[in-house]
């Protein structure tokens, strides 16, 4: 059963510390193995990728072209979808596209009175690599959430890597690729996919996969470790761990709503975390009982039960203010505000990946159809990471254009600062223009 913790109990601080450490990944335990996989790809290219796919995905590609997912496969998967499912994908695509279009930064220029021009030029990256998980389940929603911001940003080339155990690509994932007009995709998973995207792997004719500029998308500890190791070779979005939900409640909510919302994250993964903070002990007990009832009905009940029993918790606090303070320490990936006046406490929420307001906004709405991105910081990293966005696929260049009047006004001060740092060539590069 899910743990019930009261902040009045003597052991509360000890147990709460465990919650705060939920995102800790023992990267050191797999780092050596991941380095071996990445180094093999660096040195051996396609042959290493082929061997690793055979080792981990239970099928035997004979050459690199066997790993390619064709656009014909994507189109066939899309055309054979039943109409309700096709319409649902289309609705999700349109809403996600519309939301991310509002995020797109623009180039700007500021013209000063002396003729100087300062500004910022925003340009998309040339090539983006998307990692879409495919081990325990397939996630076409993750394809939409990663591909659409890149499309909105104007990325020219988008390449997808996804594991396909037993060489069986998920048809719905293929259909989502067709909807996003993905031109290049490979049946490569895990750290191998990150290595292929980061380093590229081409044969003597230049055929194969070229390296990307950024890698985005969630994955297991091997994917997270690989992304950390290749950062600097390429850009990455974040290092994401298992999924999680935090629910803040003031004692007024339906127990079945709360139970299902907690279970919705627990069914992702045994390592997922589901945390409710409430001011009502009686409601806490009702929710715990509902969770036990509902667990028995779930197809993924073994995974869900392990998550709930080992990583789930219901915290009972004496006031909503105490609950807010604890939730800000947790900094959850998903935060539901199931309280009477959620907009009043919204300014007090400092750290959360995505915030779901009111009883009609369960977390799965954000996973699929709302529009904001569901690739979110986990394990408390919402304190310093943001959701995946259009900006991840764009880069900024500063624009500086000084007029003759402008450098005359500020050149002496610039020269003084340069000389103070012992950089006389810097100083002279400015002063020569003043003297002329």
């Amino acid at each position: 059963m899910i743990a019930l913790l009261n902040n009045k109990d003597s052991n509360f601080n000890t147990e709460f510390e465990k919650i705060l450490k939920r995102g800790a990944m023992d990267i050191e335990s797999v780092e050596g193995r991941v380095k071996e996989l990445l180094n093999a790809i660096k040195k051996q290219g396609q042959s290493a990728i082929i061997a690793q796919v055979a080792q981990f995905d239970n099928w035997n590609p004979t050459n690199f072209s066997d790993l390619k997912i064709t656009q014909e496969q994507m189109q066939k998967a899309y055309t054979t979808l039943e109409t309700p499912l096709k319409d649902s994908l289309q609705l999700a695509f349109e809403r996600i596209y519309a939301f991310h279009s509002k995020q797109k930064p623009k180039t700007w220029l500021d013209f000063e009175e002396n003729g100087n021009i300062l500004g910022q030029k925003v340009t998309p990256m040339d090539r983006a690599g998307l990692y879409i998980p495919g081990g325990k389940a397939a996630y076409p929603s993750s394809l939409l959430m990663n591909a659409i911001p890149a499309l909105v940003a104007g990325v020219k080339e988008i390449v997808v890597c996804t594991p396909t155990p037993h060489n069986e690509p998920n048809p719905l994932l293929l259909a989502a690729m067709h909807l996003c007009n993905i031109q290049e995709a490979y049946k490569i998973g895990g750290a191998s996919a990150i290595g292929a995207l980061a380093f590229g792997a081409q044969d003597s004719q230049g055929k194969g996969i070229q390296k990307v500029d950024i890698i985005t998308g969630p994955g297991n500890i091997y994917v997270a470790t690989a992304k950390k190791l290749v950062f600097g070779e390429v850009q990455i979005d974040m290092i994401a761990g298992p999924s999680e939900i935090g629910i803040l409640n003031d004692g007024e909510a339906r127990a079945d709503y709360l139970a299902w919302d907690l279970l919705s994250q627990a069914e992702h993964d045994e390592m997922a975390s589901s945390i409710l903070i409430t001011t009502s002990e009686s409601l806490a007990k009702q929710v715990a009982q509902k969770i036990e009832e509902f667990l028995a009905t779930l197809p993924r009940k073994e995974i869900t039960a392990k998550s709930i029993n080992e990583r789930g918790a219901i915290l009972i606090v004496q006031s909503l203010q105490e609950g807010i303070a604890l939730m800000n320490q947790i900094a959850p990936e998903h935060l539901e505000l199931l309280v009477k006046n959620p907009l009043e406490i919204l300014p007090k929420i400092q750290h959360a990946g995505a915030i779901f307001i009111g009883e009609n906004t369960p977390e799965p709405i954000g996973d699929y159809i709302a529009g904001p991105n569901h690739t979110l910081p986990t394990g408390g990293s919402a304190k310093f990471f943001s959701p995946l966005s259009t900006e991840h696929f764009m880069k900024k260049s500063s624009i500086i254009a000084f007029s003759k009047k402008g450098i005359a006004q500020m050149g002496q001060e610039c020269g003084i600062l340069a000389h103070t740092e012992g950089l006389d060539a810097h100083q002279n590069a400015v002063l020569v223009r003043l003297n002329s």
Side-chain angles (χ1 to χ4, degrees):
M1 180 176 279
I2 192 168
L4 293 177
L5 306 172
N6 195 309
N7 70 342
K8 293 190 300 184
D9 295 341
S10 59
N11 68 334
F12 179 81
N13 289 337
T14 301
E15 295 301 315
F16 187 67
E17 280 297 317
K18 294 178 183 177
I19 293 174
L20 295 182
K21 294 176 181 177
R22 72 200 179 281
M25 290 186 287
D26 188 12
I27 281 179
E28 288 185 4
S29 67
V30 303
E31 191 169 302
R33 179 58 178 142
V34 172
K35 282 182 177 178
E36 289 177 7
L37 297 171
L38 295 177
N39 286 334
I41 293 172
K42 233 177 181 180
K43 295 175 182 177
Q44 302 163 25
Q46 293 184 4
S47 61
I49 296 171
I50 292 168
Q52 291 172 19
V53 169
Q55 179 181 359
F56 297 118
D57 280 354
N58 297 307
W59 66 286
N60 294 295
T62 58
N63 53 59
F64 196 78
S65 63
D66 287 348
L67 301 176
K68 182 103 174 176
I69 299 173
T70 67
Q71 287 181 280
E72 289 75 21
Q73 289 174 295
M74 300 176 198
Q75 184 174 16
K76 180 180 178 182
Y78 182 78
T79 55
T80 55
L81 283 182
E82 295 183 359
T83 299
L85 187 50
K86 190 180 293 186
D87 291 344
S88 298
L89 268 183
Q90 184 66 40
L91 176 63
F93 180 95
E94 291 172 359
R95 290 186 61 84
I96 297 166
Y97 198 100
F99 179 86
H100 288 81
S101 295
K102 294 180 175 70
Q103 294 180 328
K104 188 175 180 179
K106 295 180 175 63
T107 295
W108 58 270
L109 295 173
D110 181 45
F111 297 86
E112 298 182 351
E113 289 183 3
N114 58 15
N116 294 346
I117 303 172
L118 302 177
Q120 182 172 271
K121 185 178 186 296
V122 183
T123 53
M125 296 186 184
D126 291 334
R127 185 168 166 84
L130 316 182
Y131 183 80
I132 309 301
K136 291 184 170 125
Y139 296 101
S141 59
S142 289
L143 187 280
L144 297 180
M145 292 291 184
N146 282 265
I148 291 173
L151 291 170
V152 171
V155 176
K156 295 176 184 176
E157 298 176 4
I158 301 173
V159 54
V160 174
C161 283
T162 185
T164 55
H166 306 288
N167 194 21
E168 297 174 357
N170 180 271
L172 190 52
L173 179 57
L174 296 183
M177 289 186 198
H178 175 76
L179 186 59
C180 293
N181 194 30
I182 298 299
Q183 305 288 309
E184 186 179 356
Y186 298 93
K187 295 176 280 188
I188 311 172
S192 309
I194 305 306
L197 293 169
F199 307 128
Q202 296 176 285
D203 60 21
S204 56
Q205 281 83 41
K207 295 180 179 179
I209 184 171
Q210 297 179 24
K211 71 167 293 182
V212 300
D213 300 312
I214 182 170
I215 300 173
T216 72
N220 61 20
I221 189 171
Y222 289 91
V223 172
T225 302
K227 285 171 71 176
K228 183 176 182 180
L229 291 173
V230 301
F231 174 63
E233 183 78 30
V234 295
Q235 176 63 288
I236 63 171
D237 52 351
M238 65 189 81
I239 301 171
S243 189
E244 59 193 36
I245 187 172
I247 304 177
L248 191 61
N249 170 256
D250 57 5
E252 298 292 330
R254 286 178 49 165
D256 57 343
Y257 283 12
L258 296 170
W260 279 123
D261 291 359
L262 293 168
L263 290 168
S264 71
Q265 291 309 293
E267 70 177 349
H268 270 297
D269 187 278
E270 296 94 338
M271 299 293 288
S273 299
S274 301
I275 303 161
L276 166 64
I277 300 179
T278 181
T279 57
S280 170
E281 185 170 359
S282 62
L283 181 60
K285 292 177 180 178
Q286 292 175 44
V287 172
Q289 186 58 47
K290 288 290 184 184
I291 287 173
E292 291 302 304
E293 291 177 19
F294 298 157
L295 265 174
T297 69
L298 294 174
R300 293 164 65 89
K301 60 184 176 184
E302 291 184 8
I303 291 173
T304 311
K306 187 174 177 65
S307 168
I308 285 291
N309 295 333
E310 297 182 7
R311 312 268 293 187
I314 300 177
L315 313 184
I316 302 158
V317 294
Q318 313 316 304
S319 70
L320 188 58
Q321 294 306 313
E322 291 178 351
I324 293 170
L326 291 176
M327 195 63 83
N328 277 328
Q329 290 185 64
I330 294 170
E333 176 189 18
H334 308 97
L335 171 60
E336 290 187 2
L337 301 181
L338 268 70
V339 296
K340 290 177 185 175
N341 300 303
L343 293 178
E344 288 184 9
I345 70 166
L346 184 60
K348 299 177 183 178
I349 302 300
Q350 297 174 324
H351 310 299
I355 303 170
F356 300 78
I357 296 175
E359 66 176 9
N360 295 314
T361 319
E363 185 279 332
I365 285 289
D367 276 349
Y368 298 106
I369 216 79
N373 210 285
H374 80 197
T375 304
L376 302 165
T378 63
S381 64
K383 291 181 178 180
F384 46 85
F385 277 130
S386 299
L388 185 68
S389 72
T390 305
E391 289 193 46
H392 278 92
F393 297 94
M394 307 188 82
K395 52 193 175 58
K396 303 176 179 74
S397 302
S398 299
I399 297 171
I400 305 165
F402 262 49
S403 66
K404 190 170 184 178
K405 183 178 180 180
I407 196 167
Q409 288 178 341
M410 306 178 201
Q412 289 290 350
E413 289 81 0
C414 181
I416 290 170
L417 293 172
H419 179 71
T420 301
E421 293 188 350
L423 301 174
D424 285 0
H426 280 63
Q427 180 187 30
N428 291 333
V430 176
L431 296 185
V432 70
R433 287 165 167 79
L434 300 186
N435 296 332
S436 65

